[in-house]
Amino acid sequence: MQSSKFHLLFHFHYWLVWTSIGKLGEIKLAGLSVNAQKEMGSKSSTKFYRIPEGKGTYSVGCTDLMTDHTIQGSFFRLYYPSQNGTSSEETQWIPRKEYYGGLSDFLNMYRMLGETFLQYYVGSVTCPAKWNAAFKPGEKYPLIIFSHGLGAFRTIYSAICIEMASQGFIVAAVEHRDKSASATYYYKENSVSEAREETTEDLEEEWIYYRKLKRGEQEFPLRHQQVQQRTEECIKALDLILDINSGKHVVNVLPLNFDWTLLKDSIDSNRIAVIGHSFGAATAIETLSRETRFKGSVHQSFPDFTFLIGSVVGKIFKLKGEIDPNIAIDISNKASLAFLQKHLGLEKDFDQWDALIDGVGCNVIPGTNIDLPLTQPESVE
């Protein structure tokens, strides 16, 4: 069966901020097209779906960090270059059953039905990063802060984050607590634990679920408030990681066996970027406007669901497009890496994909499907 050509149902947003003048210096968008590979007959029901491994030279580890158990604290998943042979355990993709409930609400499914369906369909999925593997010291790695889209959470962009870590980046995927995630949580103190050391033994979980718009409610005020909180959470994550880089001791509320001291002096504080998808892209732009330590940002294309959901199910719940997700994510990641090398001044070989930034390639349509306002040419003095 000959494959057909489809237009990709997403676009890149490349946002370059010139921090020296403190304003947005360039906006570039490219629409893409790819060859879709259709599943045939009954093969689609037996096809094994898996989140793709990173294509870089580094092994990838993964862990979670929650500091200050309250809602004001910081919570993110860290993807990083890891030492080989220090862990054989792959990372569980969706770590808690409460996330299935949140996803069900966001997808407008009855919660009991949605939880059962999602647990059956993706409950055993792991992502190709070794859980709590030892961090690989000895290099200066650039840092990426990642902000998820509406209805997402810290774990479901692992295909992007793992690829970046395999190429030599440290990636902190923030889980936002502004009610834009389908689900997240923090810990409340019991009255008997207020004076005790910060651990989960005497704390009670408090779950936060996605807040839908009320009937007749205007969207802008809510989204504006959310993006401000999200920006603060991205900056908190950056501050926390740079504290770890400087050797400051941090207490992880989560009972995980990971040696954070290995990250000391391992982050290149002159090469820091923020990446966001969808509403996370808006978060990235707001973060860039308020924090000059960030050099640039990228709007990525796909959450992990595109690799794990079959065509029929994906279309029903609008979690999958018509195109081969492996082709799409490969183009997206290569263009992102080329962009990051160009604007972070990395000494890698990512410039081999510079043409994608300019919309040149056999699977790329130059230009944009977004109407942009005409800009006035700058006057020459």
Side-chain angles (χ1 to χ4, degrees):
M1 180 177 178
Q2 187 174 8
S3 61
S4 302
K5 193 141 189 171
F6 294 88
H7 288 293
L8 210 60
L9 302 178
F10 68 91
H11 50 267
F12 287 141
H13 287 189
Y14 289 105
W15 305 89
L16 165 63
V17 171
W18 299 105
T19 55
S20 60
I21 58 176
K23 66 178 183 180
L24 192 64
E26 176 185 349
I27 302 177
K28 182 164 187 178
L29 304 94
L32 301 179
S33 70
V34 302
N35 288 323
Q37 295 180 353
K38 292 186 176 180
E39 299 168 4
M40 299 177 61
S42 61
K43 290 183 179 180
S44 62
S45 63
T46 59
K47 184 175 180 180
F48 179 69
Y49 297 97
R50 181 175 172 83
I51 296 168
E53 296 182 355
K55 296 180 173 62
T57 59
Y58 293 88
S59 299
V60 178
C62 182
T63 194
D64 286 334
L65 178 60
M66 182 189 294
T67 62
D68 181 0
H69 60 271
T70 70
I71 197 171
Q72 286 78 30
S74 188
F75 187 21
F76 57 78
R77 173 155 287 190
L78 195 77
Y79 302 84
Y80 52 88
S82 65
Q83 299 179 39
N84 291 325
T86 56
S87 173
S88 60
E89 181 183 359
E90 288 203 329
T91 300
Q92 189 173 0
W93 183 52
I94 297 182
R96 299 286 300 273
K97 64 180 179 62
E98 288 84 356
Y99 290 104
Y100 296 116
L103 285 169
S104 301
D105 294 344
F106 181 73
L107 296 172
N108 295 316
M109 302 170 66
Y110 289 111
R111 181 174 282 205
M112 183 175 294
L113 175 63
E115 287 179 347
T116 302
F117 173 80
L118 289 168
Q119 284 187 310
Y120 174 80
Y121 207 87
V122 298
S124 61
V125 170
T126 59
C127 60
K130 299 304 181 183
W131 183 242
N132 283 330
F135 178 80
K136 183 180 181 181
E139 298 184 44
K140 288 281 190 178
Y141 301 104
L143 173 65
I144 293 172
I145 304 295
F146 188 93
S147 176
H148 63 71
L150 289 175
F153 41 91
R154 74 187 187 284
T155 75
I156 63 172
Y157 292 90
S158 65
I160 296 169
C161 297
I162 288 172
E163 173 62 19
M164 296 300 165
S166 79
Q167 299 287 355
F169 291 82
I170 295 173
V171 185
V174 177
E175 187 159 289
H176 293 295
R177 291 164 164 168
D178 61 327
K179 298 185 179 180
S180 66
S182 57
T184 187
Y185 69 102
Y186 64 98
Y187 288 94
K188 294 192 304 183
E189 294 178 342
N190 293 328
S191 59
V192 296
S193 64
E194 292 181 356
R196 300 186 182 184
E197 185 179 355
E198 186 176 287
T199 66
T200 59
E201 293 180 3
D202 299 311
L203 299 175
E204 179 183 354
E205 289 181 1
E206 181 75 9
W207 281 85
I208 308 169
Y209 293 99
Y210 181 78
R211 180 193 176 311
K212 295 184 178 181
L213 288 173
K214 301 174 183 177
R215 184 181 297 273
E217 181 182 11
Q218 292 187 344
E219 186 170 14
F220 178 79
L222 173 62
R223 301 299 181 225
H224 177 74
Q225 180 275 325
Q226 288 177 324
V227 82
Q228 300 304 314
Q229 180 175 334
R230 283 165 148 259
T231 297
E232 290 295 335
E233 289 169 340
C234 287
I235 295 172
K236 282 181 183 179
L238 173 61
D239 290 337
L240 177 59
I241 294 173
L242 292 181
D243 282 345
I244 294 171
N245 185 59
S246 68
K248 184 176 179 179
H249 174 69
V250 297
V251 176
N252 192 355
V253 177
L254 306 175
L256 299 175
N257 183 24
F258 180 77
D259 187 358
W260 289 93
T261 64
L262 291 176
L263 272 72
K264 183 180 179 182
D265 298 325
S266 292
I267 295 172
D268 189 341
S269 59
N270 293 316
R271 291 184 169 92
I272 301 173
V274 57
I275 289 178
H277 169 252
S278 190
F279 195 46
T283 306
I285 296 303
E286 180 65 18
T287 304
L288 287 164
S289 72
R290 291 171 53 181
E291 181 50 73
T292 59
R293 289 174 294 181
F294 289 110
K295 306 296 185 183
S297 66
V298 181
H299 183 180
Q300 291 282 5
S301 310
F302 290 120
D304 295 333
F305 274 110
T306 192
F307 302 102
L308 305 173
I309 302 295
S311 294
V312 175
V313 174
K315 290 175 183 177
I316 291 173
F317 296 108
K318 299 180 180 179
L319 298 172
K320 192 177 184 73
E322 297 285 349
I323 53 104
D324 182 340
N326 292 286
I327 294 175
I329 203 69
D330 191 52
I331 295 171
S332 175
N333 285 333
K334 286 178 178 177
S336 301
L337 289 166
F339 178 87
L340 290 169
Q341 170 154 331
K342 183 176 182 180
H343 297 295
L344 294 184
L346 303 176
E347 295 181 1
K348 302 279 188 177
D349 63 350
F350 305 152
D351 54 353
Q352 64 182 297
W353 302 307
D354 278 351
L356 293 174
I357 302 176
D358 298 320
V360 178
C362 62
N363 290 316
V364 178
I365 298 174
T368 176
N369 59 347
I370 302 297
D371 293 328
L372 298 175
L374 297 176
T375 56
Q376 298 294 327
E378 295 183 2
S379 60
V380 178
E381 296 181 359

